Amino acid sequence: MRGTLPSATRKLSRAMARVVVKLGSSIVAHDDGSPRAEVLAAVCAELAARHAAGEEIVVVTSGAIARGMRVLDLPLRPSAIDALQAASAVGQGKLYRVYDELLREHGVTTAQVLLTFFDLSARTHYLNARQTLRKLLDWRVVPVINENDTTATDEISFGDNDFLAAQVAILVGADLLVLLTNTEGLYTADPRTDPAARLVEEVADFAALDELSIGHETSALGSGGMRSKVVAAEMATAAGLPAVICSGLRDGALGRALAGEREGTRFPPRGARYSSFKLWLRYAKPSRGTVVVDAGAARALREGGRSLLPVGIVDVRGSFDAGDAVEVAADSRVIGKGITSYAAVELRRVKGLKSAEVREVLPRATDEAVHRDHFVLT
Ligand code: GLU
């Protein structure tokens, strides 16, 4: 964090061109699942105004389960996954229709897009999703995205679309991610129970957050809570784009956040942006195992930007194939993630061997176990 907590929020220096705005279940619906019509109308009016001013808007919305609960007259959010998935299937079309109608009133065309992390973990699917979203934005259409709950359960188990929103922001190369929630932002403690709790205006150092007790509590409708929002902000900022967590219920909050004015909790971007491939590798591709390396190899990867050779590998954990992503660890700490050129069974046979010795065991093997172009430090 810059200075002490909270510190002043800097005004963003230029107008935002492409923004991803995520609405959590508690913004979209009341506790009984009925839609918050006035909130959705205000958010859509704000988004339509930014759109008319030339910006590109992507909406990520939760609330399908909440909508389904209301239609099915379920008093409480179900806990069984199949019931959550089925409630979402009931609610999704109705949820989307609200955005479509509200934005259409302002002359904005929308598209319904349902995504899963599993889709995004295959490079071709990731590129296809990006191509589709880019085409929609070229056509000045506003994508309205939710997780495809019928086939995937990541976000209904934990996250309430927070991670999906960060993924989408990275995927489309957004200039800003706004996570709308039912509090003003991140607090130093739970404001409902601690009167001394203060709003944190800016987070530039995630390590400093360890001092705060960030709640896991979710609303009656969603599965997110502040913790998953902070992790989503961390993902976005590590990929080079700023994020804001702010109220979706307070008048004008979204407008101020989009204008780069002081609002909620702002997370400035950290470091340079990675290439699209490295972002995908880091955030979208799941690891299938771990390769433990010695100190020399760790240094070569960290400081020299070199490839990982079998000679530097001391242990191979898990079962994976060539082409899978693996974590690379040294001294019991994960230092990076890469695409392996060897299957786990092969690596176990050649770990610790010099390249010439590797070829005696596996004549057609490549020198690199993980090529530098296929590796990212984490
Ligand atoms: N896809 C879910 C929905 O729209 C996410 C929200 C949740 O975690 O309940 O309802």
Side-chain angles (χ1 to χ4, degrees):
M1 254 160 270
R2 282 189 312 126
T4 48
L5 257 174
S7 69
T9 305
R10 275 169 303 174
K11 192 161 166 96
L12 297 175
S13 52
R14 63 185 176 89
M16 291 299 168
R18 183 175 291 173
V19 298
V20 174
V21 178
K22 183 252 163 177
L23 294 89
S25 300
S26 62
I27 300 307
V28 173
H30 294 284
D31 280 359
D32 67 356
S34 60
R36 284 186 187 268
E38 59 316 321
V39 173
L40 289 173
V43 167
C44 287
E46 181 64 47
L47 295 179
R50 309 299 304 194
H51 184 267
E55 294 184 8
E56 294 174 341
I57 311 288
V58 177
V59 173
V60 175
T61 184
S62 302
I65 294 171
R67 194 78 193 87
M69 278 167 57
R70 177 73 179 180
V71 173
L72 295 162
D73 232 352
L74 305 177
L76 292 174
R77 179 182 160 98
S79 51
I81 288 289
D82 58 351
L84 289 167
Q85 290 176 297
S88 175
V90 171
Q92 173 57 33
K94 296 165 183 67
L95 171 69
Y96 168 68
R97 205 169 60 220
V98 175
Y99 287 96
D100 188 49
E101 282 170 3
L102 286 169
L103 287 165
R104 198 163 355 122
E105 279 171 21
H106 296 280
V108 178
T109 304
T110 68
Q112 175 178 237
V113 176
L114 299 176
L115 286 176
T116 66
F117 286 106
F118 183 71
D119 286 339
L120 299 180
S121 71
R123 183 77 181 149
T124 46
H125 287 213
Y126 184 87
L127 295 175
N128 283 337
R130 188 173 71 178
Q131 206 164 279
T132 304
L133 291 169
R134 280 187 177 169
K135 180 51 80 184
L136 290 169
L137 294 174
D138 277 358
W139 283 346
R140 304 285 298 138
V141 172
V142 172
V144 177
I145 303 176
N146 196 352
E147 184 174 56
N148 186 359
D149 292 331
T150 303
T151 60
T153 54
D154 295 285
E155 293 282 340
I156 60 179
S157 309
F158 178 72
D160 192 26
N161 284 346
D162 292 325
F163 305 127
L164 182 67
Q167 280 284 341
V168 166
I170 293 167
L171 181 73
V172 300
D175 298 294
L176 177 67
L177 168 65
V178 180
L179 300 165
L180 293 179
T181 185
N182 58 0
T183 61
E184 300 295 314
L186 172 67
Y187 280 84
T188 51
D190 187 341
R192 288 167 300 187
T193 52
D194 186 345
R198 285 175 297 129
L199 181 72
V200 178
E201 291 186 4
E202 184 170 293
V203 178
D205 174 9
F206 282 83
L209 293 178
D210 293 346
E211 298 156 22
L212 312 182
S213 63
I214 301 175
H216 284 280
E217 298 84 26
T218 64
S219 69
L221 296 172
S223 58
M226 192 47 76
R227 171 123 351 233
S228 75
K229 280 169 196 58
V230 170
V231 175
E234 188 169 3
M235 283 165 75
T237 58
L241 66 115
V244 175
I245 299 175
C246 67
S247 170
L249 303 177
R250 190 145 83 107
D251 251 5
L254 173 61
R256 284 188 292 278
L258 291 175
E261 290 165 15
R262 176 190 283 231
E263 187 62 46
T265 304
R266 181 177 144 74
F267 301 77
R270 296 172 291 150
R273 289 194 176 212
Y274 295 102
S275 68
S276 147
F277 174 81
K278 293 208 170 177
L279 287 171
W280 168 78
L281 173 60
R282 182 163 177 176
Y283 295 109
K285 177 99 175 145
S287 305
R288 300 266 175 249
T290 303
V291 170
V292 182
V293 302
D294 62 23
R299 206 172 323 112
L301 290 167
R302 267 210 205 99
E303 290 157 29
R306 310 270 285 278
S307 295
L308 173 64
L309 306 182
V311 70
I313 297 176
V314 294
D315 195 13
V316 177
R317 296 179 193 151
S319 129
F320 49 81
D321 287 321
D324 281 342
V326 290
E327 285 184 329
V328 177
D331 262 346
S332 11
R333 282 191 45 216
V334 175
I335 60 167
K337 191 173 168 192
I339 303 286
T340 166
S341 316
Y342 291 72
V345 277
E346 295 167 337
L347 262 193
R348 286 196 180 95
R349 292 176 63 199
V350 301
K351 69 178 162 52
L353 300 185
K354 299 208 177 76
S355 296
E357 296 165 336
V358 170
R359 273 192 293 277
E360 281 170 28
V361 182
L362 299 171
R364 286 205 306 246
T366 58
D367 283 353
E368 301 86 9
V370 176
H371 193 278
R372 54 186 286 177
D373 292 345
H374 301 155
F375 176 81
V376 62
L377 289 167
T378 51

